[in-house]
Amino acid sequence: MGCWHFASSSRRQAGEGPTNSKRPMVDFVAPVYYEREAGTWGLHGPTLRVVQGDTVKLRLANNLTRPHASRGGVSTPLNGFTRVADTNNHAHGLHVWPGIADQGAAAQYRGGDNILFSVPGKRHEGQHELSREEYEVEVPDTHMPGMAWYHPHQHGSTTVQVPTANGLIIVEGGPEWMPDSSGCREVRELKDAAPEQILHFQLLPFQPPEAEKPDGSPQWANDRDDPNMQVASKLYDPANPLCCGEGAAKHEHFGGTATNRDLVLVNGHWQPRLAMQAGKFYRWRLAWATPKRFATLMILGADGRPAPCEMQLISKDGVYLMQIPRRVDHALLAPGNRAELFVKCSGAPGSRYTLRAQDPAVSPIGCSMGNTRQVVVQDLLTIDLKEGSGQQPSPRHRACTPARAGYVADLRDASLAAHGATAKLTRIPLDFTFRDFGCLFNDKNFSFPDPDPLQLPLGSVVEWAASKLHGHPLHIHTNPFQLQELREEWLQEGCSFTSWFEAGDYHDTLMLPMVTRLSAPPVRMQPGEFTGYTVVHCHALHHEDEGCMKVRTDWIDATGGLLLELTHHLPPCKA
C-alpha cells in the first residue's frame, strides 16, 4: 500500500540529444506520480507486487489544477478532449470486481476498479486541500500470476495523462501453477532461477499529425485521429495549460531538440544499457505502457541482422499460453500489452546488441502496411554481453501445460464440445468507426449512463467478431479474451501473422496490424465471475477519449450459473 499524489511536475527533461548537444531532447510539463512516503517522483509510478488473496490499496491525491478558462455555464461534453485536470485509477489487466453495481451510483467510489469515478483537480493553484480517494481492489485467490499495470482512466483526459503517469502490478504465483504432472518442472525451475528483468516502455507522443493533403483528409480530421501531445493540448476545452496549450507559457515552456517525433523511454530512461551474461537465460517482463502506437521488438546485431539470441514466450497480458514455452523471433506489442519471455543471448564477451522497435517491412511481419503512422521505429536499448559460465540448455518446446483459472479456460470449439457447452455460445458484432463528431463503438458514441449497455449473461460464452483490429487495439476490462482463429485470407498482401499470434492465445488488449480493414477475427470471453458494469474500448486512448467506448454489464440470467463446468481447471488450494 502506498500514497501517491497526482501532480504536474515543475519540468520534465528526457535525455540529451542529438549527439554532442547539451540541450535536452524534450523539456515539458506533464502529470506524474509522487510517492509521498518515499519522497520520490518520476515519469512512472512504482512497481507493485501482490499475491493471490491480497487487497491492494492505493491512496490517490490529485494535485493537478483545472484550467482557469470557463465554458460560460455550458456543461462539459462527455466525449472529446475534456477534464484535463480530473483523474482516477484503472488496474489494467487485473481480473477484479469493476466496482459499479448500478450506473446511477458510479459517481460514488465503493471499491473495485471503478473507472467512471473521478478525483477532481484543484480549482486554483492556491488550493491546499486536495481531493483524495483510497482505491481498493481484492485480488482473487484464483487470479493468474502475471503482470498488469495501473494508469489514469479519466474519460476525456487519458491522452495526456497516461504517457507519464502509469506503473506496473505483478501478481506473483507459486509452483502450483506449473505442476510436474503437466510437464512443467523444467519451465518452472528455469522461471525460478532466471534473473528478472522488467522493461517498462513509455511513449512520449510528440510526432505531429499527418499534414493535410489536397486529395486526403482535412487537417482537423488528422488532428483528431492522431493528435500528439501538443495538438491534443490545444484541442482540450478549455485548453490544457500543462504541456503546450494556451497559457502553458506561464507554467513552463515546451521545447527541446526532439519535440516533433515520438520518443520511447525504457524504465524512465532514453536508450539505456542492459548487461547480460552470454549463454544465460533471463526472465524478461515487458510492458508497452503507451497511449497509442505498436512496436515489433527484435534483438539485432551490429550488422542490423537478428542477433544470436533466443526468445521463449511464456505469457501475454498476464495469462499463460496454452502450452509453454513457445519459440518466437520477436515481440509484437500494442498499447497496453504485456509479455513474459525467457531470453538468452550468445556471443563473445563485449558484444553489443540492440533491442529495436523494427520497421514491420523488415521484421517477421514482412510487409509495409497502410497504418505505418501507428508504428514505432526506434532503438530502445543496448545489450552489453558479459562473460558467462557456459550455455544454459533451452527448455523443451511447448512441453508444459500450465494450470489455468476459470476465467481463462480454453473456449475453442473442441473444448466447448467436449464439455457439452456448445449451446452456451452467443455471438455479438464489434466495430470501431471514426466520424467527424467522434469515435464510435457499433455506430454509437460513448454514453453514460448507457441506456443500452452490452448485456452478457453469466454462464455464457460470448464471441465477438472484432473488426478494425488493424488500427484499433481492442481492450476489454475485467475479463481477458481468447483469439479463436487466424485466416490467411485476412492478411494484407505480403504480411504474416508471425510466431507471436496463434489461435488459443489470450489477450486483454489485441491489435492485429497485419490484417485488412474488413477482416473480423473472432474472440471469445466468459463473463464473470463478477457482476456489475465495466467497459470495452479502443486502446488508442485518443480514440477512447473521443467516444470509442461502450458500457457492458455481466448479469445472472434466469438459468443462473456463474461459470461453466469447463472453467474449473484451477491449481490446488494452498495450505
Side-chain angles (χ1 to χ4, degrees):
M1 183 171 68
C3 302
W4 287 274
H5 284 282
F6 197 63
S8 60
S9 67
S10 58
R11 180 177 294 176
R12 299 307 301 142
Q13 294 186 355
E16 288 189 355
T19 304
N20 299 324
S21 172
K22 296 299 182 182
R23 294 179 58 202
M25 294 179 66
V26 287
D27 189 350
F28 67 108
V29 175
V32 296
Y33 288 121
Y34 171 74
E35 190 174 0
R36 189 177 63 190
E37 294 174 355
T40 59
W41 59 280
L43 285 169
H44 60 78
T47 296
L48 311 179
R49 293 181 183 266
V50 301
V51 297
Q52 293 85 359
D54 275 355
T55 297
V56 182
K57 296 183 179 180
L58 296 177
R59 296 193 185 113
L60 179 63
N62 188 358
N63 197 38
L64 297 175
T65 302
R66 290 177 170 178
H68 294 303
S70 170
R71 290 180 54 82
V74 179
S75 61
T76 301
L78 178 63
N79 298 305
F81 300 107
T82 64
R83 305 181 68 177
V84 66
D86 297 342
T87 193
N88 60 16
N89 185 70
H90 169 44
H92 182 136
L94 287 188
H95 179 64
V96 296
W97 181 49
I100 306 174
D102 181 345
Q103 290 193 81
Q108 292 80 42
Y109 183 74
R110 293 171 176 160
D113 189 32
N114 181 352
I115 58 91
L116 296 170
F117 169 81
S118 294
V119 182
K122 297 186 298 184
R123 293 185 299 275
H124 53 82
E125 288 283 359
Q127 179 179 328
H128 298 295
E129 185 64 28
L130 305 182
S131 298
R132 303 171 185 272
E133 189 56 61
E134 182 174 287
Y135 283 84
E136 181 174 313
V137 295
E138 297 180 359
V139 181
D141 291 335
T142 56
H143 199 290
M144 292 287 287
M147 186 159 64
W149 63 304
Y150 59 92
H151 63 79
H153 207 299
Q154 175 63 58
H155 183 57
S157 66
T158 61
T159 300
V160 297
Q161 290 187 9
V162 171
T164 53
N166 60 73
L168 308 181
I169 306 172
I170 294 176
V171 181
E172 305 284 12
E176 66 272 13
W177 293 94
M178 294 185 179
D180 292 357
S181 59
S182 297
C184 297
R185 182 173 182 175
E186 179 185 37
V187 174
R188 185 184 70 245
E189 291 179 347
L190 176 57
K191 175 182 71 69
D192 293 341
E196 179 187 73
Q197 178 61 61
I198 294 174
L199 297 178
H200 181 172
F201 301 99
Q202 292 174 277
L203 173 75
L204 303 182
F206 297 131
Q207 177 177 303
E210 189 173 15
E212 181 177 358
K213 298 178 181 179
D215 57 346
S217 301
Q219 190 61 52
W220 66 264
N222 293 338
D223 288 351
R224 291 173 64 91
D225 187 43
D226 188 25
N228 60 1
M229 189 78 82
Q230 304 92 299
V231 169
S233 294
K234 294 175 182 178
L235 289 174
Y236 271 86
D237 188 9
N240 172 22
L242 296 178
C243 167
C244 13
E246 295 176 9
K250 68 181 180 182
H251 290 268
E252 291 290 345
H253 69 278
F254 176 78
T257 62
T259 54
N260 62 348
R261 64 188 178 99
D262 292 338
L263 304 173
V264 177
L265 305 181
V266 185
N267 298 338
H269 299 280
W270 170 252
Q271 296 183 337
R273 306 185 82 88
L274 175 64
M276 294 178 63
Q277 290 185 29
K280 182 181 181 67
F281 272 110
Y282 290 78
R283 183 186 182 186
W284 280 18
R285 294 185 187 265
L286 310 180
W288 195 250
T290 69
K292 61 179 181 178
R293 307 281 190 255
F294 74 91
T296 304
L297 273 56
M298 300 181 66
I299 303 175
L300 305 178
D303 58 1
R305 292 184 291 187
C309 297
E310 181 178 334
M311 304 172 72
Q312 300 273 5
L313 181 61
I314 301 299
S315 72
K316 295 196 285 186
D317 288 350
V319 181
Y320 290 133
L321 307 182
M322 289 296 170
Q323 286 81 37
I324 59 176
R326 183 164 85 214
R327 185 77 175 262
V328 295
D329 49 13
H330 70 294
L332 199 157
L333 302 178
N337 279 155
R338 292 90 59 217
E340 184 174 339
L341 308 94
F342 297 136
V343 178
K344 177 179 72 173
C345 289
S346 303
S351 298
R352 288 183 177 174
Y353 306 137
T354 300
L355 180 65
R356 179 172 172 79
Q358 184 66 296
D359 181 345
V362 291
S363 78
I365 295 176
C367 63
S368 295
M369 298 169 290
N371 54 352
T372 54
R373 287 187 58 81
Q374 296 203 46
V375 181
V376 170
V377 179
Q378 178 194 304
D379 290 345
L380 300 173
L381 61 82
T382 298
I383 296 173
D384 292 316
L385 209 59
K386 308 298 182 183
E387 185 173 0
S389 56
Q391 283 291 325
Q392 195 170 357
S394 300
R396 291 172 296 155
H397 189 54
R398 304 177 191 259
C400 167
T401 302
R404 311 191 70 78
Y407 65 94
V408 288
D410 190 356
L411 303 178
R412 288 174 290 180
D413 288 344
S415 180
L416 294 182
H419 291 85
T422 302
K424 294 285 188 177
L425 184 63
T426 181
R427 292 181 169 89
I428 299 175
L430 185 155
D431 182 57
F432 293 116
T433 308
F434 196 83
R435 301 274 176 83
D436 56 358
F437 53 87
C439 200
L440 312 181
F441 179 100
N442 287 355
D443 287 326
K444 292 182 179 179
N445 253 153
F446 174 65
S447 61
F448 189 82
D450 190 333
D452 185 29
L454 293 173
Q455 298 188 41
L456 311 181
L458 275 69
S460 68
V461 173
V462 174
E463 179 178 293
W464 270 310
S467 66
K468 312 291 175 56
L469 292 182
H470 72 294
H472 293 270
L474 170 65
H475 175 46
I476 300 179
H477 284 214
T478 309
N479 297 76
F481 51 90
Q482 187 182 39
L483 181 60
Q484 295 298 302
E485 186 179 9
L486 293 171
R487 297 182 188 173
E488 295 292 321
E489 65 197 64
W490 293 334
L491 290 169
Q492 297 179 48
E493 184 177 357
C495 291
S496 166
F497 285 118
T498 78
S499 58
W500 191 254
F501 295 107
E502 286 190 7
D505 291 353
Y506 262 88
H507 304 258
D508 64 39
T509 307
L510 179 64
M511 183 180 186
L512 296 172
M514 67 287 293
V515 301
T516 63
R517 179 183 178 86
L518 298 179
S519 63
V523 300
R524 290 177 184 173
M525 57 163 283
Q526 189 167 213
E529 66 259 28
F530 308 105
T531 57
Y533 293 84
T534 183
V535 295
V536 51
H537 65 85
C538 174
H539 212 281
L541 292 182
H542 53 290
H543 288 173
E544 185 273 317
D545 283 338
E546 295 182 283
C548 263
M549 184 159 68
K550 180 70 174 173
V551 175
R552 72 164 240 247
T553 179
D554 297 356
W555 55 285
I556 301 176
D557 67 5
T559 64
L562 292 180
L563 294 172
L564 301 180
E565 288 298 320
L566 68 96
T567 67
H568 295 283
H569 301 315
L570 305 178
C573 296
K574 298 180 216 178

